[in-house]
Amino acid sequence: MNLDHLAEKIKIWGKELGFQKVGICDVDLSEHEAPLQAWLDAGNHGEMDWMARHGMMRARPDELHPGTIRVISARMNYLPPEAQFASNLSDTTQGYISRYSLGRDYHKLFRNQLKKLGQKIEKEVEGLDSRPFVDSAPILERPLAQKAGLGWTGKHSLILDKEAGSWFFLGELLVNIPLPVDEPSVDECGKCTACITSCPTGAIIDDGIVDARKCISYLTIEFDGIIPEEYREAIGNRIYGCDDCQLVCPWNRHADITDQKDFHRREDFEESDLVALSSWDEATFLKRMEGSAIRRIGHTQWLRNIFVAMGNAPFQQRIVESLESYRGQSELLNVHIEWALGKQLQQLPNANREQEGHNKVSTKKHRLIRIVEKGLPRDA
């Protein structure tokens, strides 16, 4: 068997299966063990206990899947055409949803394509033992991707490529055959610190090191508790994830729009008005988010995120009434509702000048204050 020829065929098959680039590396990630342990020891993983649960297995693919001697790393673009610009970040009455989650959940699709790649290799190699992973196991996918030549680790900790930027998913196929390895990618960030200085919460605490406890993506997706008040204003209207560090990255000027239609923005997000999104009951949320990564955070966390965004939005009576209508449903929601109502009320003097008629405004103002401060029914 000509392993060099097989490696080339694997890369061709990968492109046929929808991957934009495929690379191969060995399993030695020993240089990443100490930094990983230091990151965990500092508590930078927040409440993501699964990050520490398996110890250093994350840096040892051959322990994760015994017999592995090579990792085939692949990437798949996800930038949807409908989200080429982040214009709704500036319209704070709209909810901003991270670009990766505007379409269908990528895990199953990506994993199925990796599985098909393994099946193609199996036809060529007797005794092949392979296993695909897409965010489904303790494995350091970014160091593997860099080692396989798919890109370098940017200062925001994401993988970057000169031609593709960072708008892509990563996945791995672990195999037991001694394929030739690719040249690792080298750092091309230079002195640029755009991602660090643009992070709304200062979560990038050093080159390539993110404190998840400050990260908006963590706070709105992985964290299901009370969002610390110190970060709520910085969250703005980001109701699921955050793309700021990628939006400002110069390399993303070269990013291609995805050809994968499953990653295009779903119709449910053509209208992202905060009040409209908050009106979804749990059954509606579950139905509309079928096949979406967003579904896994659940309806309560979805509302929590929206309520924080409402607190950061310009004063609107309909926002106040929407917030008030959810009072008393849960302690978690109440904390964020009261904060958001307070933020809305702080804007009342400015909002009044934008209303028609002084008397009408005065009546509306006092009515809203009674609703918010006394918890009266809206028809009181």
Side-chain angles (χ1 to χ4, degrees):
M1 179 173 53
N2 187 322
L3 291 174
D4 290 309
H5 182 59
L6 178 59
E8 290 303 316
K9 290 176 73 172
I10 288 171
K11 293 170 184 178
I12 293 171
W13 292 333
K15 289 191 175 182
E16 292 173 350
L17 289 168
F19 305 130
Q20 277 64 57
K21 192 170 183 178
V22 174
I24 302 168
C25 67
D26 61 39
V27 297
D28 182 12
L29 295 177
S30 55
E31 66 177 290
H32 296 279
E33 292 190 13
L36 171 60
Q37 191 60 57
W39 186 78
L40 292 169
D41 290 344
N44 289 329
H45 58 304
E47 295 189 8
M48 296 184 291
D49 295 336
W50 46 269
M51 291 292 295
R53 192 175 303 142
H54 299 282
M56 287 299 105
M57 180 185 286
R58 191 172 295 277
R60 301 167 187 172
D62 52 336
E63 289 186 10
L64 175 63
H65 186 62
T68 298
I69 57 176
R70 293 289 185 270
V71 176
I72 300 171
S73 182
R75 74 180 192 217
M76 184 179 286
N77 293 345
Y78 68 77
L79 184 61
E82 302 88 351
Q84 194 166 3
F85 302 101
S87 57
N88 65 332
L89 268 177
S90 60
D91 183 353
T92 53
T93 65
Q94 306 293 305
Y96 182 85
I97 295 171
S98 184
R99 296 177 177 191
Y100 87 87
S101 56
L102 288 171
R104 291 189 64 82
D105 189 344
Y106 65 93
H107 293 86
K108 186 175 180 179
L109 183 150
F110 202 152
R111 189 180 184 278
N112 284 342
Q113 298 307 91
L114 283 172
K115 186 177 179 180
K116 290 177 182 178
L117 180 59
Q119 291 168 345
K120 286 180 176 290
I121 301 171
E122 190 173 16
K123 292 179 180 179
E124 302 278 336
V125 181
E126 185 178 352
L128 174 73
D129 183 20
S130 67
R131 188 175 176 186
F133 293 102
V134 181
D135 290 347
S136 55
I139 188 169
L140 292 178
E141 62 176 11
R142 293 172 188 172
L144 287 170
Q146 179 163 355
K147 198 167 190 180
L150 268 60
W152 71 92
T153 302
K155 293 177 182 177
H156 48 20
S157 82
L158 303 176
I159 295 296
L160 279 166
D161 178 81
K162 284 184 177 181
E163 286 76 35
S166 60
W167 303 109
F168 49 75
F169 300 122
L170 295 172
E172 301 78 40
L173 184 67
L174 277 55
V175 298
N176 64 338
I177 49 178
L179 295 165
V181 299
D182 291 295
E183 286 292 323
S185 300
V186 296
D187 188 345
E188 298 281 356
C189 283
K191 297 181 179 180
C192 178
T193 58
C195 59
I196 296 175
T197 57
S198 69
C199 179
T201 56
I204 307 173
I205 58 177
D206 203 348
D207 289 1
I209 302 177
V210 175
D211 185 344
R213 295 166 295 185
K214 300 179 180 181
C215 178
I216 293 174
S217 286
Y218 166 80
L219 291 169
T220 58
I221 300 173
E222 302 296 342
F223 181 64
D224 61 3
I226 295 173
I227 295 176
E229 189 167 344
E230 62 187 296
Y231 300 128
R232 292 178 198 166
E233 284 191 21
I235 286 174
N237 61 338
R238 302 167 185 83
I239 61 174
Y240 188 89
C242 177
D243 293 326
D244 285 35
C245 61
Q246 298 189 82
L247 292 171
V248 300
C249 178
W251 293 109
N252 272 325
R253 291 176 298 185
H254 309 294
D256 292 327
I257 299 298
T258 182
D259 294 326
Q260 180 54 255
K261 290 187 178 180
D262 276 356
F263 299 154
H264 290 196
R265 185 184 65 187
R266 56 173 57 207
E267 292 181 1
D268 299 285
F269 294 140
E270 290 181 3
E271 171 60 70
S272 57
D273 175 76
L274 291 171
V275 174
L277 294 178
S278 73
S279 70
W280 296 357
D281 60 18
E282 185 171 15
T284 302
F285 169 79
L286 293 174
K287 179 64 178 177
R288 294 194 175 186
M289 293 299 98
E290 283 183 357
S292 167
I294 298 174
R295 199 175 196 263
R296 72 183 181 91
I297 71 171
H299 185 240
T300 297
Q301 193 170 325
W302 169 254
L303 288 176
R304 179 204 65 178
N305 296 346
I306 292 174
F307 294 159
V308 170
M310 284 180 164
N312 293 319
F315 170 83
Q316 290 186 358
Q317 180 180 356
R318 66 194 189 103
I319 287 180
V320 172
E321 292 180 346
S322 176
L323 288 165
E324 197 275 335
S325 71
Y326 279 99
R327 261 180 162 160
Q329 289 199 11
S330 77
E331 181 180 353
L332 173 67
L333 292 183
N334 281 347
V335 171
H336 300 87
I337 288 170
E338 297 306 321
W339 177 83
L341 286 170
K343 296 291 288 183
Q344 282 285 305
L345 282 179
Q346 288 176 11
Q347 302 178 66
L348 273 174
N350 292 329
N352 288 344
R353 289 195 291 269
E354 299 174 4
Q355 305 287 338
E356 293 182 5
H358 175 74
N359 292 335
K360 183 177 179 181
V361 167
S362 179
T363 301
K364 187 176 295 184
K365 172 181 176 180
H366 289 299
R367 176 174 175 272
L368 287 169
I369 290 175
R370 291 177 68 218
I371 289 173
V372 174
E373 294 184 350
K374 303 297 183 183
L376 297 175
R378 280 178 288 174
D379 57 357

